[in-house]
Amino acid sequence: MKSTKPAGDPTGTPPGTTTLPLTGERTIPGLDVENYWFRRHEVVYERLAPRCVGRTVLEAGCGEGYGADLIAGVAERVIGLDYDDAAVAHVRSRYPRVESIQGNLAELPLPDASVDVVVNFQVIEHLWDQAQFIGECARVLRPGGVLMISTPNRITFSPGRDTPINPFHTRELNAAELTELLVEGGFAMDGMFGVFHGPALQAMDARHGGSIIDAQIARAVADAPWPADLLADVAAVDCDDFDILEATERDIDDSLDLVAIAVRP
């Protein structure tokens, strides 16, 4: 999946706006220590934005709003939905081309068949009733509409565990489980992709004991200062350092994140 970056700068902070606090539940742009995770999330928006060109898009769980704003550079209309009042207010202030609304993902506050695309990136793992949410996506999508989901791959994100490592996650999925969830919800699969480290990130892995992810987590857990070389590498990560590959190109179970594309019949 090649890079196609639409207009707009999701990391620029307009004068007079503030940033949301970094809690570990959402990714925040513009922070050097958060840059690896931000770029790992941003790359999915960037690569899938072409599927939103000229369409009405709902981002269900828009968080800080940078992704909804990136999509707004190509879409006809973008609705950013979040449960958190502070996030909704932040999006309204910082990203005026996104229609920001507050609501519950279990009961989407939109009419039936009212949008062309639903985007749900790095959110479904936070939900208690994932099947209910998928049903709501099917309800608000027009026939032929597209649901795009990204989520951490349980196999690599919480290896060997029955419960997620991240305390904000309720249920993580592998590729087979995500496919089953979508098909049982009435969707037809259009593609399953995985997010992987490209050559530059593989070199960073080698420089930091085999995993730049583990190196960052170790500093966070210990609440320890970051070595200058680690901070420099993390701050330098770019979207192009990640590969997004189809399940036929590489073992999907080895991916860092899953990216599923499904169609409402």
Side-chain angles (χ1 to χ4, degrees):
M1 196 179 289
K2 295 182 180 180
S3 173
T4 306
K5 186 174 291 186
D9 177 9
T11 63
T13 305
T17 61
T18 58
T19 58
L20 290 172
L22 183 61
T23 64
E25 185 174 13
R26 65 170 70 90
T27 300
I28 304 295
L31 301 177
D32 51 2
V33 296
E34 183 70 5
N35 185 58
Y36 168 85
W37 298 103
F38 169 65
R39 298 302 180 187
R40 181 165 148 181
H41 294 180
E42 184 191 31
V43 66
V44 180
Y45 289 98
E46 180 185 305
R47 307 281 172 88
L48 295 186
R51 291 178 175 259
C52 301
V53 173
R55 309 184 87 178
T56 297
V57 180
L58 166 68
E59 182 171 15
C62 64
E64 195 274 344
Y66 67 86
D69 186 64
L70 189 153
I71 292 170
V74 299
E76 179 180 341
R77 177 189 181 199
V78 176
I79 304 163
L81 172 69
D82 205 273
Y83 187 74
D84 181 65
D85 288 331
V88 172
H90 173 81
V91 174
R92 285 175 181 163
S93 171
R94 184 170 180 178
Y95 304 112
R97 59 183 178 178
V98 176
E99 299 176 33
S100 183
I101 61 174
Q102 193 277 338
N104 192 331
L105 270 65
E107 296 180 359
L108 297 175
L110 274 74
D112 295 356
S114 56
V115 299
D116 302 306
V117 180
V118 174
V119 171
N120 182 249
F121 293 163
Q122 303 295 322
V123 173
I124 197 167
E125 65 275 5
H126 295 262
L127 304 182
W128 288 104
D129 195 336
Q130 296 172 346
Q132 167 81 10
F133 168 67
I134 297 299
E136 280 291 280
C137 291
R139 180 183 65 78
V140 303
L141 279 166
R142 298 177 178 126
V146 177
L147 171 60
M148 302 191 291
I149 292 178
S150 76
T151 188
N153 177 11
R154 176 175 59 79
I155 295 173
T156 58
F157 200 81
S158 298
R161 291 175 58 99
D162 294 328
T163 57
I165 291 174
N166 188 316
F168 296 107
H169 293 181
T170 59
R171 180 197 176 204
E172 294 169 356
L173 303 159
N174 63 27
E177 291 163 343
L178 180 55
T179 299
E180 180 181 28
L181 183 68
L182 290 166
V183 171
E184 289 187 352
F187 283 88
M189 293 299 298
D190 188 49
M192 179 68 73
F193 302 83
V195 177
F196 298 89
H197 282 179
L201 277 165
Q202 292 172 21
M204 290 184 192
D205 284 332
R207 286 199 295 273
H208 298 285
S211 172
I212 193 170
I213 298 171
D214 290 346
Q216 294 176 82
I217 292 173
R219 294 302 181 282
V221 170
D223 195 21
W226 286 51
D229 59 341
L230 175 61
L231 184 58
D233 273 349
V234 168
V237 173
D238 189 75
C239 289
D240 289 338
D241 295 330
F242 294 92
D243 292 333
I244 299 183
L245 304 173
E246 289 189 77
T248 55
E249 298 177 89
R250 188 167 171 185
D251 189 346
I252 197 71
D253 289 342
D254 292 336
S255 66
L256 301 168
D257 297 319
L258 304 169
V259 181
I261 302 174
V263 177
R264 180 193 183 280

